Amino acid sequence: MDLIYRPRRLRRTSSIRALVQETSLGPTDFIYPLFVHSGREVEPIIAMPGSNRWTLDALVFEVERAWKLGIRCIVLFPKIDQSLKSEDGAECFNEDGLIPRAIRLIKKELPEMIIMTDVALDPYSSDGHDGIVSNDGVILNDETIENLCKQALVQASAGADLIGPSDMMDGRVGAIREALDGESFEDVGIISYTAKYSSAYYGPFREALDSAPKLIASKPIPKDKSTYQMNPANSREAITEAQLDEQEGADILMVKPGLAYLDIIYRLRQESELPIAAYNVSGEYSMVKAAAEKGWIDEKKLVLETLLCFKRAGADLILTYHACDAAGWLNNLG
Ligand code: PBG
């Protein structure tokens, strides 16, 4: 054939392929999400094979393991005892609560590990929503902010480095920035859940924390989060959310879920100069694990490919439950 261009020239050997590779993946791209509970035993999370609810002591070991693999950032999620949950989620700003205690323990052992936290009421809410639910079933935007600011301050004073407002309600980043600055936490950053969609992919996570919306007789609690999380049908709206978060002082913008939303990652990458994070959420993880258990896919190849594709789409960082496995594979440990 009489061809001038033969793109296969640059695919001929692994050396050539590496030379022209456009994106790469490494352990410092990852943020490792970890679940912690107050019980005495490490509990496997059934819907997320390979993930656990750690005890405080075991959590520190797991964080040390992640550090040795090259991971430099974790995010913590608490499973709160039912007895501590309430309508206003006040346990979220208890200075001796599970999260502040976990932060202090980790910072004592590993001060350089970056600790990200989640700011929302759902793990602490007896109604299972991210904000306070009124008696007529409305999730209250403005009335919830005071507790969220207190939650962020308690996390920052325990040593959190990055605060992640995750409730997808209005004005969170600005209010939390002001609260942090007011207490001299200018150096604590905000990683905003900027474009967080109302998604069935969060199912296993809600099982892990027992945090799904509750059905009770005394008030009409909405059964999903669609009055505050975004409609999966929308992408222009993600740009509006990104612009607002930037104006309010966000340091990093996040898209969530990740895999079915690569177009949103790409669009935000075009629209903003801030770092973009992708959240490879629980449902995405569990699907891979389930197929791997059945022997239907090659887990290592599939996970590394998926994570690389987040980078290609425009993500700088990836929150992923595969973080330790992937870091091990990238370090040629298995
Ligand atoms: C809580 C929160 C959720 C996730 C992270 N923070 C669940 C939700 O919004 O219901 C989901 C993470 C995952 O599925 O991996 N605000």
Short mmCIF file of all heavy atoms in Angstrom, two decimals, residues 33 35 48 77 118-123 128 130 165-168 193 196-197 199 201-206 209 211-213 225 228-229 256 279-284 321, ligand 1:
data_model
loop_
_atom_site.label_atom_id
_atom_site.label_comp_id
_atom_site.label_asym_id
_atom_site.label_seq_id
_atom_site.Cartn_x
_atom_site.Cartn_y
_atom_site.Cartn_z
N PRO A 33 -9.89 6.20 49.98
CA PRO A 33 -10.99 6.35 50.94
C PRO A 33 -11.00 5.20 51.95
O PRO A 33 -10.87 4.04 51.57
CB PRO A 33 -12.26 6.28 50.06
CG PRO A 33 -11.79 6.24 48.64
CD PRO A 33 -10.38 5.73 48.68
N PHE A 35 -12.96 3.59 55.60
CA PHE A 35 -14.11 3.61 56.51
C PHE A 35 -13.63 3.26 57.92
O PHE A 35 -12.81 2.35 58.09
CB PHE A 35 -15.14 2.58 56.07
CG PHE A 35 -15.66 2.82 54.68
CD1 PHE A 35 -15.19 2.09 53.59
CD2 PHE A 35 -16.63 3.79 54.45
CE1 PHE A 35 -15.66 2.32 52.30
CE2 PHE A 35 -17.12 4.02 53.16
CZ PHE A 35 -16.64 3.29 52.09
N MET A 48 -18.65 -4.44 49.26
CA MET A 48 -17.40 -3.90 48.69
C MET A 48 -16.25 -4.85 49.01
O MET A 48 -15.40 -4.56 49.86
CB MET A 48 -17.10 -2.50 49.26
CG MET A 48 -18.15 -1.46 48.94
SD MET A 48 -17.76 0.16 49.67
CE MET A 48 -16.33 0.63 48.70
N PHE A 77 -14.20 8.19 56.19
CA PHE A 77 -15.66 8.16 56.33
C PHE A 77 -16.02 7.36 57.57
O PHE A 77 -15.53 6.25 57.76
CB PHE A 77 -16.31 7.50 55.11
CG PHE A 77 -16.12 8.28 53.84
CD1 PHE A 77 -15.21 7.87 52.88
CD2 PHE A 77 -16.86 9.44 53.60
CE1 PHE A 77 -15.03 8.59 51.71
CE2 PHE A 77 -16.69 10.16 52.43
CZ PHE A 77 -15.77 9.74 51.48
N ASP A 118 -14.79 14.52 54.80
CA ASP A 118 -16.06 14.74 54.12
C ASP A 118 -16.93 15.62 55.04
O ASP A 118 -17.05 15.33 56.22
CB ASP A 118 -16.72 13.37 53.93
CG ASP A 118 -17.78 13.36 52.86
OD1 ASP A 118 -17.43 13.27 51.68
OD2 ASP A 118 -18.98 13.43 53.21
N VAL A 119 -17.48 16.68 54.49
CA VAL A 119 -18.39 17.52 55.28
C VAL A 119 -19.80 17.38 54.73
O VAL A 119 -20.11 17.86 53.64
CB VAL A 119 -17.93 18.99 55.29
CG1 VAL A 119 -19.02 19.89 55.88
CG2 VAL A 119 -16.66 19.14 56.10
N ALA A 120 -20.63 16.68 55.50
CA ALA A 120 -22.05 16.49 55.17
C ALA A 120 -22.65 15.78 56.39
O ALA A 120 -21.92 15.19 57.19
CB ALA A 120 -22.24 15.62 53.93
N LEU A 121 -23.97 15.81 56.51
CA LEU A 121 -24.58 15.24 57.71
C LEU A 121 -24.91 13.75 57.59
O LEU A 121 -25.18 13.10 58.59
CB LEU A 121 -25.88 15.98 58.07
CG LEU A 121 -25.77 17.45 58.48
CD1 LEU A 121 -27.12 17.93 59.01
CD2 LEU A 121 -24.68 17.69 59.50
N ASP A 122 -24.91 13.20 56.38
CA ASP A 122 -25.52 11.86 56.21
C ASP A 122 -25.03 10.75 57.14
O ASP A 122 -25.84 9.98 57.63
CB ASP A 122 -25.53 11.41 54.74
CG ASP A 122 -24.17 11.47 54.07
OD1 ASP A 122 -23.40 12.38 54.39
OD2 ASP A 122 -23.88 10.62 53.22
N PRO A 123 -23.73 10.64 57.47
CA PRO A 123 -23.38 9.55 58.39
C PRO A 123 -23.96 9.76 59.80
O PRO A 123 -24.03 8.82 60.59
CB PRO A 123 -21.85 9.61 58.45
CG PRO A 123 -21.43 10.43 57.28
CD PRO A 123 -22.55 11.39 57.03
N GLY A 128 -30.99 10.06 57.41
CA GLY A 128 -30.20 9.56 56.28
C GLY A 128 -30.07 10.54 55.14
O GLY A 128 -29.92 10.13 53.99
N ASP A 130 -28.18 14.40 53.73
CA ASP A 130 -26.96 15.20 53.92
C ASP A 130 -27.23 16.50 54.67
O ASP A 130 -26.31 17.17 55.11
CB ASP A 130 -26.33 15.52 52.56
CG ASP A 130 -25.73 14.28 51.90
OD1 ASP A 130 -26.22 13.17 52.17
OD2 ASP A 130 -24.79 14.42 51.11
N PRO A 165 -16.53 19.47 51.19
CA PRO A 165 -17.99 19.65 51.32
C PRO A 165 -18.67 18.76 50.27
O PRO A 165 -18.44 18.93 49.07
CB PRO A 165 -18.23 21.13 51.00
CG PRO A 165 -16.86 21.76 50.94
CD PRO A 165 -15.88 20.69 50.68
N SER A 166 -19.52 17.82 50.73
CA SER A 166 -20.02 16.82 49.79
C SER A 166 -21.54 16.80 49.69
O SER A 166 -22.09 15.89 49.09
CB SER A 166 -19.52 15.43 50.20
OG SER A 166 -20.26 14.94 51.29
N ASP A 167 -22.22 17.81 50.27
CA ASP A 167 -23.69 17.68 50.28
C ASP A 167 -24.36 18.26 49.04
O ASP A 167 -25.57 18.12 48.87
CB ASP A 167 -24.29 18.27 51.57
CG ASP A 167 -24.28 19.78 51.62
OD1 ASP A 167 -23.76 20.43 50.69
OD2 ASP A 167 -24.81 20.33 52.61
N MET A 168 -23.57 18.89 48.15
CA MET A 168 -24.13 19.41 46.89
C MET A 168 -25.23 20.45 47.11
O MET A 168 -26.09 20.63 46.25
CB MET A 168 -24.69 18.27 46.05
CG MET A 168 -23.89 17.83 44.84
SD MET A 168 -22.75 19.00 44.16
CE MET A 168 -23.62 19.51 42.70
N TYR A 193 -16.92 18.78 46.28
CA TYR A 193 -17.69 17.85 45.45
C TYR A 193 -18.52 18.73 44.53
O TYR A 193 -19.68 19.01 44.78
CB TYR A 193 -18.60 16.97 46.30
CG TYR A 193 -17.91 15.89 47.11
CD1 TYR A 193 -17.07 16.20 48.18
CD2 TYR A 193 -18.15 14.55 46.84
CE1 TYR A 193 -16.48 15.19 48.93
CE2 TYR A 193 -17.56 13.54 47.60
CZ TYR A 193 -16.73 13.87 48.64
OH TYR A 193 -16.15 12.87 49.39
N LYS A 196 -21.57 16.53 41.73
CA LYS A 196 -21.90 15.24 42.33
C LYS A 196 -23.32 14.90 41.92
O LYS A 196 -24.25 15.65 42.21
CB LYS A 196 -21.78 15.32 43.85
CG LYS A 196 -22.17 14.04 44.55
CD LYS A 196 -21.90 14.16 46.04
CE LYS A 196 -22.30 12.91 46.79
NZ LYS A 196 -22.08 13.06 48.24
N TYR A 197 -23.46 13.78 41.25
CA TYR A 197 -24.74 13.40 40.65
C TYR A 197 -25.54 12.50 41.58
O TYR A 197 -24.96 11.75 42.39
CB TYR A 197 -24.50 12.71 39.31
CG TYR A 197 -24.04 13.70 38.25
CD1 TYR A 197 -22.70 14.08 38.13
CD2 TYR A 197 -24.97 14.31 37.42
CE1 TYR A 197 -22.31 15.01 37.19
CE2 TYR A 197 -24.58 15.24 36.47
CZ TYR A 197 -23.25 15.59 36.35
OH TYR A 197 -22.86 16.52 35.43
N SER A 199 -26.92 9.41 42.19
CA SER A 199 -26.47 8.23 41.46
C SER A 199 -26.72 6.92 42.20
O SER A 199 -26.50 6.83 43.41
CB SER A 199 -24.97 8.36 41.19
OG SER A 199 -24.45 7.18 40.64
N TYR A 201 -24.84 4.53 41.77
CA TYR A 201 -23.49 4.00 42.00
C TYR A 201 -23.02 4.16 43.45
O TYR A 201 -21.95 3.68 43.79
CB TYR A 201 -22.48 4.68 41.09
CG TYR A 201 -22.50 4.21 39.65
CD1 TYR A 201 -23.13 4.95 38.66
CD2 TYR A 201 -21.86 3.03 39.27
CE1 TYR A 201 -23.12 4.53 37.34
CE2 TYR A 201 -21.84 2.61 37.96
CZ TYR A 201 -22.47 3.36 36.99
OH TYR A 201 -22.45 2.94 35.69
N TYR A 202 -23.77 4.91 44.27
CA TYR A 202 -23.36 5.07 45.67
C TYR A 202 -23.93 3.97 46.58
O TYR A 202 -23.69 4.00 47.79
CB TYR A 202 -23.80 6.42 46.25
CG TYR A 202 -23.45 7.63 45.42
CD1 TYR A 202 -24.27 8.76 45.42
CD2 TYR A 202 -22.30 7.67 44.65
CE1 TYR A 202 -23.96 9.88 44.66
CE2 TYR A 202 -21.98 8.79 43.88
CZ TYR A 202 -22.83 9.89 43.88
OH TYR A 202 -22.53 10.98 43.14
N GLY A 203 -24.67 3.02 46.01
CA GLY A 203 -25.34 2.01 46.83
C GLY A 203 -24.44 1.31 47.84
O GLY A 203 -24.75 1.29 49.04
N PRO A 204 -23.32 0.73 47.41
CA PRO A 204 -22.48 0.00 48.36
C PRO A 204 -21.93 0.89 49.48
O PRO A 204 -21.81 0.46 50.63
CB PRO A 204 -21.34 -0.55 47.49
CG PRO A 204 -21.91 -0.61 46.10
CD PRO A 204 -22.85 0.56 46.02
N PHE A 205 -21.63 2.14 49.16
CA PHE A 205 -21.14 3.09 50.17
C PHE A 205 -22.19 3.29 51.26
O PHE A 205 -21.88 3.30 52.46
CB PHE A 205 -20.83 4.43 49.49
CG PHE A 205 -20.40 5.55 50.41
CD1 PHE A 205 -19.06 5.83 50.61
CD2 PHE A 205 -21.35 6.35 51.04
CE1 PHE A 205 -18.67 6.89 51.42
CE2 PHE A 205 -20.96 7.41 51.85
CZ PHE A 205 -19.62 7.68 52.04
N ARG A 206 -23.45 3.43 50.84
CA ARG A 206 -24.50 3.66 51.85
C ARG A 206 -24.69 2.42 52.71
O ARG A 206 -25.05 2.53 53.87
CB ARG A 206 -25.79 4.10 51.16
CG ARG A 206 -25.64 5.49 50.56
CD ARG A 206 -26.90 5.98 49.87
NE ARG A 206 -26.61 7.18 49.09
CZ ARG A 206 -27.44 7.70 48.19
NH1 ARG A 206 -28.61 7.15 47.97
NH2 ARG A 206 -27.10 8.79 47.51
N LEU A 209 -21.86 2.51 55.38
CA LEU A 209 -22.06 3.45 56.49
C LEU A 209 -23.46 3.34 57.09
O LEU A 209 -23.75 4.05 58.04
CB LEU A 209 -21.86 4.89 56.01
CG LEU A 209 -20.47 5.28 55.51
CD1 LEU A 209 -20.40 6.78 55.31
CD2 LEU A 209 -19.39 4.85 56.51
N SER A 211 -26.10 4.56 55.79
CA SER A 211 -26.45 5.98 55.73
C SER A 211 -27.52 6.30 54.70
O SER A 211 -27.73 7.46 54.35
CB SER A 211 -25.18 6.80 55.41
OG SER A 211 -24.67 6.45 54.13
N ALA A 212 -28.22 5.29 54.19
CA ALA A 212 -29.25 5.55 53.18
C ALA A 212 -30.44 6.28 53.81
O ALA A 212 -30.70 6.12 55.00
CB ALA A 212 -29.70 4.24 52.56
N PRO A 213 -31.18 7.09 53.01
CA PRO A 213 -32.38 7.75 53.54
C PRO A 213 -33.32 6.75 54.21
O PRO A 213 -33.51 5.64 53.72
CB PRO A 213 -33.01 8.36 52.29
CG PRO A 213 -31.85 8.61 51.38
CD PRO A 213 -30.91 7.46 51.63
N LYS A 225 -31.77 11.57 46.78
CA LYS A 225 -31.12 12.86 47.06
C LYS A 225 -31.24 13.82 45.88
O LYS A 225 -30.41 14.71 45.70
CB LYS A 225 -29.65 12.60 47.43
CG LYS A 225 -29.48 11.70 48.65
CD LYS A 225 -28.04 11.66 49.18
CE LYS A 225 -27.93 10.82 50.44
NZ LYS A 225 -26.56 10.79 51.00
N TYR A 228 -30.94 17.73 45.84
CA TYR A 228 -29.66 18.44 46.01
C TYR A 228 -28.54 17.90 45.14
O TYR A 228 -27.75 18.65 44.60
CB TYR A 228 -29.25 18.57 47.48
CG TYR A 228 -29.36 17.34 48.37
CD1 TYR A 228 -28.23 16.66 48.78
CD2 TYR A 228 -30.59 16.89 48.86
CE1 TYR A 228 -28.31 15.56 49.63
CE2 TYR A 228 -30.68 15.79 49.70
CZ TYR A 228 -29.54 15.13 50.09
OH TYR A 228 -29.61 14.04 50.93
N GLN A 229 -28.46 16.58 44.93
CA GLN A 229 -27.44 16.08 44.00
C GLN A 229 -27.93 16.28 42.56
O GLN A 229 -29.12 16.36 42.30
CB GLN A 229 -27.16 14.61 44.30
CG GLN A 229 -26.61 14.42 45.71
CD GLN A 229 -26.31 12.98 46.06
OE1 GLN A 229 -26.73 12.05 45.37
NE2 GLN A 229 -25.60 12.78 47.16
N LYS A 256 -18.18 13.33 40.38
CA LYS A 256 -18.57 12.09 41.04
C LYS A 256 -19.95 11.66 40.60
O LYS A 256 -20.84 12.50 40.62
CB LYS A 256 -18.54 12.36 42.55
CG LYS A 256 -18.94 11.21 43.39
CD LYS A 256 -18.91 11.63 44.83
CE LYS A 256 -19.48 10.46 45.61
NZ LYS A 256 -19.79 10.80 46.95
N TYR A 279 -13.97 10.90 41.34
CA TYR A 279 -14.28 9.92 42.38
C TYR A 279 -14.77 8.63 41.72
O TYR A 279 -15.85 8.58 41.19
CB TYR A 279 -15.33 10.46 43.36
CG TYR A 279 -15.37 9.75 44.71
CD1 TYR A 279 -15.61 10.46 45.88
CD2 TYR A 279 -15.17 8.38 44.82
CE1 TYR A 279 -15.66 9.83 47.12
CE2 TYR A 279 -15.20 7.75 46.06
CZ TYR A 279 -15.46 8.48 47.20
OH TYR A 279 -15.51 7.84 48.41
N ASN A 280 -13.90 7.62 41.75
CA ASN A 280 -14.21 6.28 41.25
C ASN A 280 -14.99 5.59 42.40
O ASN A 280 -14.42 4.98 43.27
CB ASN A 280 -12.85 5.61 40.98
CG ASN A 280 -12.89 4.18 40.52
OD1 ASN A 280 -11.99 3.40 40.86
ND2 ASN A 280 -13.86 3.80 39.76
N VAL A 281 -16.33 5.72 42.36
CA VAL A 281 -17.13 5.46 43.56
C VAL A 281 -17.36 3.98 43.85
O VAL A 281 -16.99 3.09 43.07
CB VAL A 281 -18.50 6.18 43.49
CG1 VAL A 281 -18.32 7.69 43.42
CG2 VAL A 281 -19.33 5.66 42.32
N SER A 282 -18.05 3.75 44.97
CA SER A 282 -18.22 2.39 45.50
C SER A 282 -18.85 1.43 44.48
O SER A 282 -18.39 0.30 44.33
CB SER A 282 -19.06 2.43 46.78
OG SER A 282 -20.33 3.02 46.54
N GLY A 283 -19.89 1.87 43.78
CA GLY A 283 -20.56 0.96 42.83
C GLY A 283 -19.65 0.56 41.69
O GLY A 283 -19.70 -0.57 41.19
N GLU A 284 -18.79 1.49 41.28
CA GLU A 284 -17.83 1.18 40.19
C GLU A 284 -16.83 0.14 40.68
O GLU A 284 -16.45 -0.79 39.95
CB GLU A 284 -17.09 2.46 39.77
CG GLU A 284 -18.02 3.54 39.23
CD GLU A 284 -17.31 4.89 39.05
OE1 GLU A 284 -16.12 4.92 38.74
OE2 GLU A 284 -17.97 5.91 39.25
N TYR A 321 -11.08 3.21 45.72
CA TYR A 321 -10.92 2.12 46.68
C TYR A 321 -9.87 1.12 46.20
O TYR A 321 -9.43 0.26 46.96
CB TYR A 321 -12.27 1.41 46.92
CG TYR A 321 -13.33 2.39 47.38
CD1 TYR A 321 -14.23 2.97 46.48
CD2 TYR A 321 -13.41 2.78 48.72
CE1 TYR A 321 -15.18 3.89 46.89
CE2 TYR A 321 -14.36 3.70 49.14
CZ TYR A 321 -15.24 4.26 48.22
OH TYR A 321 -16.16 5.18 48.63
C1 PBG B 1 -21.88 11.55 51.50
C2 PBG B 1 -21.08 10.82 50.48
C3 PBG B 1 -21.50 9.79 49.64
C4 PBG B 1 -20.37 9.33 48.97
C5 PBG B 1 -19.29 10.10 49.41
N1 PBG B 1 -19.75 11.03 50.33
C6 PBG B 1 -22.82 9.12 49.48
C7 PBG B 1 -24.00 9.88 49.09
O1 PBG B 1 -23.95 11.00 48.61
O2 PBG B 1 -25.08 9.32 49.32
C8 PBG B 1 -20.36 8.18 48.01
C9 PBG B 1 -19.06 7.54 47.76
C10 PBG B 1 -19.11 6.22 47.07
O3 PBG B 1 -20.17 5.72 46.64
O4 PBG B 1 -18.02 5.64 46.94
N2 PBG B 1 -22.25 12.83 51.29
#
